[in-house]
Amino acid sequence: MRRIPWMRAAALALCASLAVTAPAAALPHDGPGSPGTGPAPAGPTTVPPGTGHDPAHGVRKEQVDKAREAQRYWTPERIRAAVPVDAEQSREPDAQARPGSGLGRKSFLASEPSRQVPEGIATVGVFLIRTTDGSPTPDQFCTASAVASPTKSLVITAAHCLNGDHRHQNFAFVPGYRTGASKAGQAGESPYGIFPVQKGKISIDARYRASAPDDDVDFAFLSVGPNTRGQLLEDAVGRGNELTSVPTAKLARKAVTLVGYPGGHKTPLQCTNDTTAFQGRFMEIKCDGFRSGVSGGPFLEDFDGRRGSLVGVIGGYKTGGLYDHTSYTSQFDEDTLRLYRQAVTGIPSDLDLDLDPDPDPGTGTGTSMGTAGTWTHARVMTTGRFHTASVRNNVSDLIVRWSDGELSLYPGNGAYGFGKDIQLGKDKAWQQAAGITAGDFTGDANYDLLVRWTDGRLTLYKDVNESTKLTHKVELKGPNDTWNHASTMAAGRFGGGNTRSDDLMVTWTDGEVTLYSNVDAKGLHAEKQLVTPPDTTWPHARDIAAGDFRPETGDQDVFVRWNDGEVTSYENIAAETFGREHRLLPAKSPWREALLATAGAFGGPARQNDLVALWPGGKLTLHPDTTSASLAAERVLVSP
C-alpha cells in the first residue's frame, strides 16, 4: 500500500507525533498571489475558525494594525538599504583558487549555474530585522522561506540570524521580494505584503542559544501575523515548502535547489546541484555567488519554481560556510521536527527553557527521576514490563530515549513511583529512533521493544531487561519509503485472538490508521485498515498508547492525546473501529501543552490505566487509576 508524502496530511491538519520522512514531492498549488498570477486581491480576508481538531485561523484587527505599522517602517528604501546579518563574516571566494593553479572557480560551479530570479520566488523572501537599541546597523536582513503548516503562518530561517536581545528587535518577512521599480500593471517589490513576526512566537533550540552555540541546530521557526490585507501567509503566497527530514545516511542527495538573497540588490539567487555529506551531520552544496545575506535560504528538492520539499536552510557549519561557492545546512532530523511541532502547536520552545548544565540523564539530585533540566532532553517514552522484578510483580517500567541517543529504563516500584534509572544503551544512532513501543511479541512474558527509525527501518529488540539490555536484535524491515510515513504506533492487546500485547496500531501521515495482529519476531502479518485515507482527524493524534481504562477484562483500549488538548479512549478498536469513544478531557484542555504521554501499570490494581506525561520545563507527572470516564489528578514525579 503506497503512502503519500508526510507533510500532505500535516498541512491539512495537525501535527501530532510528527513522522520523520524521506523527501516529499512539492504539491502543485497556485496560491492567489503566486508568481504569474498577479498580485493578491485587495481587501481584508478573515480565515474562518477551523472545526474538529483543526486550529482556528481567525485574524484580529490588532494583527492587521501590526502589519500596517511594519509596512510604514519597512519602506522600499529601507529594505534595499538593510545589511546582511552576517556581513562581518563575509563569505569570500576561496583564496586557494588561484589563477593558473588548476583549482579555478569552475571546479566549484553547480550542474545548473547560479542565476538571478528577478521576478522573485513566492515562498522565499527577505527576513527583516529592526533593532531599536541604538545599534549602528539598525536594519539587517537574512533569507527565509514559508513552511507548509496547519497555521498557514510559519517561516523558517537560520537561528544565527536571530542573535541579539529580542526585547529590542522587531522581525518581519517579505515573501517573493524583488528589487527594482515596478512596471505598470505589476505588483511592487513586496508583491504579497509584509508579514510581521508575532511577539513571543520564535522557536529556537536552546542548544543554539547556549554560550557555545550547537551548529547542529542552526534553524529557527517563526510564526508571522497577517499582512495589511488580513491574509495569512499561505493564503497570500500559496502553499509553503514541505518540511522534510533527512536521515544521516541520505545527506548526499540529487538535484537540490538553493535559494538566497545576497547582499546588495537583494535579487534572489537560485542554483541546483547535488549535495554531499559533511562530517556526517551537515549537507554541503556547491553553488557560486552565495555571499552574505543568504543565511536562512532554503535547500529545496522537487522545486517547481514556486515551492518544493524543504530539506535544509543555509546555516550550521561556520554559520553556513566561509566561501561564496560552498554552503551548508544543519541536518533536518527529529530536532527540527520537534521544533516545528512546538511552533505549530504553540507549546513553549526550548527558547524559554534552561538547559541542564549536566544533560546526562540519571545524574539527578538525590531523587530517582533526576532533575527537570534532565527531563527537557526526553524525546520518546514508552512502557512495558522489562525489569526482572517488574515481570514477576506485573508492574510497568518506563523507557525513555534522550536527545543525545541514550536509552534509559526506569523500573516501576508498584507504588506509583520508579527506581534509579538503568542505561540500556548510549549511541548517537538512537537519535534516529523516531518511534518506540513495547509489547510481548515473542510470547515469553518478557517485553520486547519495537523501534521505527527515520529511514523507515523496523527493529525488534527481544526480551529487554536490566541484564540483556539490547543484545537480541532482529531487523523486521530494512530502509524503506513506506514506514517513513508512520506518525505514531502503539502495541497492545487489541483483538489479535490471544492474550498477549502483540497487536500493533499505527497512524499514518495521510490519516490512515491500520492494525497489525499478532506481530512477532518474523515480522508484521495481517493488516486491517481501521481508517481509510485521506482523513483529516487522525493526523492530529499526538500520542497513542494501549490502556485498560474499564474494569472489565478483554481487549485493551486505545488512549489518544490530540494536539488541541482533547484526550480520548476507544474500546474494541478491532471489532468496532473506534465506534465507542470516551472523552476524558475536552479540546483546549491543559493537555495541549504536554510534550509526551503514555500509559502503564505503575501501582494499585495491575491494570494499565496510569498515565505519565512530560510537560514544558521538564515537569513529569503521573495520573493514577484513570478510567474511561475521567482522567485522574496528577502526582508530580519531577518538579519544574
Side-chain angles (χ1 to χ4, degrees), residues 6-7 21-27 123-124 143-149 154-158 219-221 240-246 253 256-259 283 296-303 307-314 329-333 336-337 340:
W6 73 274
M7 277 302 299
T21 73
L27 297 179
T123 60
V124 184
T143 302
S145 57
V147 183
S149 79
L154 206 62
V155 171
I156 189 170
T157 188
F219 40 75
F221 291 98
N241 298 299
E242 304 279 352
L243 182 62
T244 305
S245 72
V246 180
R253 307 175 85 82
V256 173
T257 296
L258 191 67
V259 182
M283 191 187 296
F299 284 61
L300 298 169
E301 286 187 323
D302 303 314
F303 181 61
R307 59 191 56 80
S309 299
L310 182 68
V311 295
V313 296
I314 297 175
T329 175
S330 302
Q331 181 183 352
F332 272 21
D333 55 12
T336 319
L337 301 181
Y340 168 89

Side-chain angles (χ1 to χ4, degrees), residues 238-315:
R239 188 178 180 84
N241 298 299
E242 304 279 352
L243 182 62
T244 305
S245 72
V246 180
T248 302
K250 295 185 178 180
L251 288 166
R253 307 175 85 82
K254 297 290 186 183
V256 173
T257 296
L258 191 67
V259 182
Y261 281 81
H265 293 297
K266 298 186 183 66
T267 298
L269 195 65
Q270 173 184 321
C271 162
T272 300
N273 202 4
D274 298 342
T275 67
T276 57
F278 182 75
Q279 295 185 354
R281 57 197 179 100
F282 301 107
M283 191 187 296
E284 177 187 89
I285 192 169
K286 304 289 189 182
C287 279
D288 200 41
F290 278 74
R291 60 184 183 272
S292 296
V294 299
S295 288
F299 284 61
L300 298 169
E301 286 187 323
D302 303 314
F303 181 61
D304 66 2
R306 298 183 179 95
R307 59 191 56 80
S309 299
L310 182 68
V311 295
V313 296
I314 297 175

Side-chain angles (χ1 to χ4, degrees), residues 409-482:
L409 166 66
Y410 287 88
N413 63 12
Y416 305 113
F418 297 89
K420 183 71 173 67
D421 66 299
I422 299 167
Q423 186 184 87
L424 297 178
K426 187 172 183 178
D427 188 329
K428 283 193 173 182
W430 275 87
Q431 293 176 330
Q432 306 303 317
I436 304 175
T437 190
D440 183 11
F441 302 113
T442 55
D444 55 6
N446 294 300
Y447 268 50
D448 317 294
L449 280 182
L450 183 63
V451 182
R452 179 180 67 83
W453 306 89
T454 57
D455 60 2
R457 286 180 298 131
L458 285 181
T459 305
L460 183 67
Y461 293 88
K462 299 193 298 181
D463 302 336
V464 175
N465 63 34
E466 72 277 15
S467 300
T468 61
K469 297 187 178 181
L470 304 172
T471 55
H472 303 313
K473 175 181 174 181
V474 179
E475 293 291 350
L476 299 185
K477 286 186 178 294
N480 63 88
D481 292 329
T482 294

Side-chain angles (χ1 to χ4, degrees), residues 42 54 77 108 232 282 302 339 404 462 490 499 548 588 598:
D54 192 32
E77 294 74 23
F108 296 111
L232 300 182
F282 301 107
D302 303 314
L339 204 63
D404 63 355
K462 299 193 298 181
T499 59
D548 296 303
K588 298 183 180 180
T598 190

Side-chain angles (χ1 to χ4, degrees), residues 499-512:
T499 59
R500 299 209 316 264
S501 295
D502 61 358
D503 307 316
L504 183 68
M505 175 180 154
V506 182
T507 70
W508 304 87
T509 55
D510 58 1
E512 182 179 1

Side-chain angles (χ1 to χ4, degrees), residues 36 42 65 411 477 485 542 592 607:
D65 291 341
K477 286 186 178 294
H485 303 296
R542 184 75 178 276
R592 63 182 172 179
R607 295 210 331 264

